[in-house]
Amino acid sequence: MSWDDVDNKLKKGVDAGFVSCSESYEKAYIKKTIQEAFGKKFSSDAIDRAIESCCDSVKGNRPRDKFLACMKEKLGS
């Protein structure tokens, strides 16, 4: 899988165009999707730190595409 696969999977949900950092289930879903896509390439802690960092740096409604771009940058892929 790739980042495009992650993006496609996240598009299927409600409010698929945005990421809600206030919803723990949504952050857990993003983490699970990244883990499925990349296996052990990124540690659980690294993914958690990237999610929290992107929640802090991507402001407003957090468009999914901007959030995923931030995740790619933070995880160095």
Side-chain angles (χ1 to χ4, degrees), residues 1 5 9-10 18 34 39 44 53 56 71-72:
M1 287 178 82
D5 295 318
K9 189 168 183 179
L10 294 177
F18 301 95
I34 290 170
S44 179
S53 179
D56 290 341
M71 291 293 294
K72 287 168 63 173

Side-chain angles (χ1 to χ4, degrees), residues 13-33:
V14 176
D15 292 330
F18 301 95
V19 172
S20 175
C21 290
S22 62
E23 301 291 346
S24 60
Y25 74 88
E26 188 160 2
K27 292 192 287 188
Y29 182 70
I30 291 167
K31 180 177 182 176
K32 178 182 170 219
T33 302

Side-chain angles (χ1 to χ4, degrees), residues 47-61:
I47 296 170
D48 289 339
R49 285 191 303 271
I51 289 171
E52 292 308 318
S53 179
C54 292
C55 283
D56 290 341
S57 64
V58 179
K59 300 297 181 195
N61 290 335

Side-chain angles (χ1 to χ4, degrees), residues 59-72:
K59 300 297 181 195
N61 290 335
R62 293 183 187 86
R64 188 194 68 258
D65 59 340
K66 289 184 181 179
F67 190 86
L68 286 181
C70 178
M71 291 293 294
K72 287 168 63 173

